[in-house]
Each structure stands twice: as C-alpha cells, then as structure tokens.
Amino acid sequence: SQELEQSPQSLIVQEGKNLTINCTSSKTLYGLYWYKQKYGEGLIFLMMLQKGGEEKSHEKITAKLDEKKQQSSLHITASQPSHAGIYLCGADYNNNNDMRFGAGTRLTVKP
Amino acid sequence: EPEVTQTPSHQVTQMGQEVILRCVPISNHLYFYWYRQILGQKVEFLVSFYNNEISEKSEIFDDQFSVERPDGSNFTLKIRSTKLEDSAMYFCASTRAIRNNEQFFGPGTRLTVL
C-alpha cells in the first residue's frame, strides 16, 4: 500500500474558487513538504511543515499539518490560472530529508 | 537566485548503453539527491549523497546505478547498461542541511531508452 495518499487525484475549479488538497500518511512523519510541478518541469518548493498542528501561509496558499503528523492539507484561496499544476506532498520519514512523494494532485483552474 | 542545473535536458540512448546524467547543485549545499519520475507516475527517491558517499538508497538504486561527485561542483548519476524501463525524468536536488531544509530541485533530464 502507498505510504502517502493524495486526494483528489485531479481537480478542476473555476477561477476565484477556493480548493483543498489532502495528503495522508500511513505513518508518522518528521517533516511534510509541499511542492508544485508544472508538466514536464522540475519541482518548486512551496512549504515545509514539521510540528504537529503547524500552519503556514504564503500568498494565497495555506498548508496545515495535523497534531498526529500524519495528515496535511493545502488550501488555495481565490484560485487563479497561475495556480494550475501538479501539487505534490513529500514526507521525510527518517529525519534525514530523504523524501517520499505522493502521486500528486493535478489542478486545473478555468478562467 | 542560485539554482540547481542539469544537463542534458533530454538524452536518447539505445538499450544497453551507458549514460551519465549531470547536475550542478547549489554551491554551498552539502547534501545531494537523485529522484526519478516515470511518465505519469510519482516522483521516486533513488539516492542521497553526502561527504562523498551514499547516505541512503532505495530499492530502485541497484548495481546498474552509481553516483559520483567528481569535482567540487558536479554531481553525476550513471546508469551502466540502460533498460527500456529506465526511461523517465531524472531530477537532481540539493539542500544545505540534513534535516528540516527544503530541497532545491533541478529542471530534470528526460531519458529515453530505445
């Protein structure tokens, strides 16, 4: 079974709408990372969460890590076409920065 | 802004040939990684490297793979005898510290094995 499950697999929203992407781990993690990938390109770092209950925001994107450090959500407020891409969560399970990634959520924002 | 660079951007090779994928990590970074992404699949960890040796490797990183830091700037991934299933995007990443640090990813090398 997968260590990291992301949901949904894909998401289509109208510009201006809010959305949430979830990442669930089968075991406790040391760090949770969110990255964005445009098709065929490299990964762009968004946020890193380490402490249970932690929440971070950058521009219109907010990410939270639950108290048990097994689930994270990424919330985008008032989505724009520039938010389109594949959102990946990555987990550090061994406290050594070796990341394991989820399968990704493909976000499409319709103008 | 410093960035990780990778060359070539696209490599086409015949099955059984050796390939070397090159990466230049960010200059003050100490920890280096290779990941791969088969088309349509998730990004998979291959290997981490620190202080001129492998720190961790996944089950994917078998004897066909090797990594090297031949000089102060390059970090390479060698595949000795490529197979069709090695076709993928290969990403290099680097970070300053072992823990709690974002990894900076390169743009990737697309490897196509024919």
Side-chain angles (χ1 to χ4, degrees):
Chain A
S1 64
Q2 300 284 332
E3 285 180 326
L4 270 184
E5 294 277 353
Q6 279 189 243
S7 62
Q9 286 185 322
S10 66
L11 193 53
I12 302 172
V13 299
Q14 203 66 41
E15 183 177 357
K17 295 294 186 186
N18 303 338
L19 63 104
T20 300
I21 298 168
N22 295 300
C23 177
T24 302
S25 172
S26 58
K27 52 188 183 180
T28 302
L29 40 85
Y30 283 96
L32 189 288
Y33 300 77
W34 284 99
Y35 282 84
K36 180 184 174 185
Q37 183 182 29
K38 291 202 169 177
Y39 182 75
E41 296 182 15
L43 281 65
I44 307 297
F45 173 77
L46 295 174
M47 269 171 279
M48 174 179 70
L49 303 163
Q50 299 164 242
K51 299 173 188 169
E54 187 174 10
E55 178 174 324
K56 285 187 177 176
S57 293
H58 177 67
E59 297 179 347
K60 293 185 178 179
I61 302 177
T62 301
K64 301 178 189 179
L65 182 62
D66 76 339
E67 291 290 342
K68 290 185 180 178
K69 295 171 67 172
Q70 285 190 249
Q71 190 163 28
S72 178
S73 59
L74 185 87
H75 184 77
I76 300 178
T77 304
S79 58
Q80 298 169 356
S82 61
H83 287 127
I86 300 169
Y87 288 81
L88 302 170
C89 64
D92 175 3
Y93 286 115
N94 300 316
N95 202 22
N96 63 0
N97 244 18
D98 297 340
M99 268 197 294
R100 304 296 187 265
F101 284 94
T105 295
R106 183 181 293 274
L107 173 64
T108 303
V109 180
K110 289 189 168 182
Chain B
E1 189 174 320
E3 57 182 20
V4 176
T5 58
Q6 289 186 243
T7 54
S9 56
H10 191 187
Q11 171 99 41
V12 181
T13 190
Q14 294 289 326
M15 190 169 57
Q17 295 295 306
E18 173 184 288
V19 294
I20 298 176
L21 309 183
R22 300 180 195 280
C23 169
V24 179
I26 293 173
S27 62
N28 63 347
H29 285 188
L30 301 175
Y31 299 85
F32 315 112
Y33 307 81
W34 282 102
Y35 294 83
R36 81 170 185 192
Q37 185 177 33
I38 295 171
L39 186 64
Q41 298 187 25
K42 64 180 181 179
V43 176
E44 299 173 291
F45 169 76
L46 291 178
V47 66
S48 58
F49 190 87
Y50 169 69
N51 201 25
N52 279 319
E53 57 183 36
I54 291 173
S55 305
E56 190 85 27
K57 59 183 181 179
S58 71
E59 57 277 4
I60 302 168
F61 195 87
D62 61 22
D63 292 344
Q64 293 295 317
F65 292 90
S66 62
V67 288
E68 195 178 30
R69 188 151 163 84
D71 53 42
S73 58
N74 289 285
F75 178 51
T76 62
L77 174 70
K78 182 194 291 186
I79 308 175
R80 263 180 269 284
S81 177
T82 49
K83 307 184 200 86
L84 294 175
E85 54 265 35
D86 293 327
S87 295
M89 196 78 161
Y90 288 82
F91 294 106
C92 171
S94 70
T95 187
R96 277 181 306 169
I98 186 66
R99 294 182 182 87
N100 308 324
N101 258 252
E102 69 173 280
Q103 289 184 26
F104 289 80
F105 280 75
T109 292
R110 181 170 297 285
L111 176 65
T112 302
V113 182
L114 303 176

